[in-house]
Amino acid sequence: MNTPASYFETMYQHSPDPWHLADRWYEQRKYALTLAALPEPLYRRAFEPACSVGELTTRLAERCESLLACDRVASAVATAAHRTAGLSHVRVEQRTLPEEWPEGTFDLIVLSELLYYFDAAGLDLLMRRTVAALEPGGTLVTVHWNHPVDEHLATGTELARVLAEVPGLLLTADHREADFVLQAFGRVGPDGSRPVSVAEREGLT
């Protein structure tokens, strides 16, 4: 069973930033590594589910022409929307995934600290919708805590094994630490063509 909505609502009732995303060096460093894993300097249309209070959102905004962020908790959405109010190319919405997946396609999707809240069926549906919405050659980045937590249904290492079996994705970066697993994937083309690497794109190989 997926982690219930009441868990998240309770967390935000006790604190506007229950995971201390704004003040922990651990989080700031993790965000920097997430941005460094993006192979493109600029993305046309990006999607960030589970944006929480918008700490990563504000950083992704610098690398995107258009960014849609969402969270299932209204108070988190309000905080993230307030933080990005001066960024006209950023939109923050309240959505519950995978049921309320947005329309259209994206050349960047960021799944950060999200996938371990889904059971096998929910994770399968979410990943099928992710791949279907990711444009050929587009980038998927996943980042997940790698220690057991009662409310988490998997660790970062366990999720990496699941993601390795998702059709249509090619692993392009794999950063693992004791605390988290960060991976980047490229969307394979309809003809089976693999995404071009950064060095290839700049004529270095």
Side-chain angles (χ1 to χ4, degrees):
M1 178 179 290
N2 297 339
T3 302
S6 58
Y7 165 73
F8 304 99
E9 293 163 357
T10 299
M11 291 290 288
Y12 283 99
Q13 285 174 0
H14 290 89
S15 171
D17 183 9
W19 289 278
H20 301 279
L21 305 179
D23 53 43
R24 282 184 174 148
W25 167 241
Y26 167 82
E27 299 292 349
Q28 309 308 310
R29 176 177 175 271
K30 185 184 68 176
Y31 294 147
L33 288 168
T34 301
L35 293 175
L38 301 180
E40 301 286 349
L42 186 67
Y43 288 86
R44 180 180 50 79
R45 186 170 188 250
F47 179 40
E48 183 204 1
C51 67
S52 187
V53 294
E55 281 293 324
L56 180 56
T57 311
T58 59
R59 293 163 172 80
L60 286 172
E62 299 177 3
R63 302 279 296 274
C64 304
E65 294 178 350
S66 174
L67 172 60
L68 170 62
C70 73
D71 201 278
R72 70 185 303 167
V73 180
S75 61
V77 171
T79 299
H82 177 74
R83 295 199 61 204
T84 58
L87 304 173
S88 60
H89 64 300
V90 177
R91 191 167 80 255
V92 184
E93 299 177 350
Q94 184 174 6
R95 291 176 179 265
T96 299
L97 299 181
E99 297 83 1
E100 298 177 327
W101 190 271
E103 296 182 356
T105 60
F106 305 89
D107 58 346
L108 172 63
I109 298 177
V110 178
L111 304 178
S112 179
E113 311 296 354
L114 170 64
L115 297 181
Y116 43 54
Y117 291 119
F118 292 90
D119 61 18
L123 180 57
D124 177 69
L125 177 57
L126 180 63
M127 291 312 302
R128 283 192 281 113
R129 294 193 171 174
T130 296
V131 173
L134 190 60
E135 298 171 0
T139 302
L140 166 66
V141 174
T142 64
V143 191
H144 292 91
W145 181 246
N146 201 35
H147 299 286
V149 176
D150 289 343
E151 294 79 15
H152 294 182
L153 304 182
T155 63
T157 296
E158 291 166 342
L159 287 168
R161 289 196 288 266
V162 174
L163 294 173
E165 302 300 323
V166 175
L169 297 178
L170 176 69
L171 182 66
T172 58
D174 192 350
H175 179 86
R176 304 195 187 203
E177 302 187 4
D179 297 326
F180 67 92
V181 175
L182 187 160
Q183 295 183 306
F185 301 84
R187 178 69 166 94
V188 175
D191 59 354
S193 58
R194 64 177 182 80
V196 178
S197 74
V198 177
E200 288 173 328
R201 188 180 304 110
E202 298 198 341
L204 300 178
T205 61

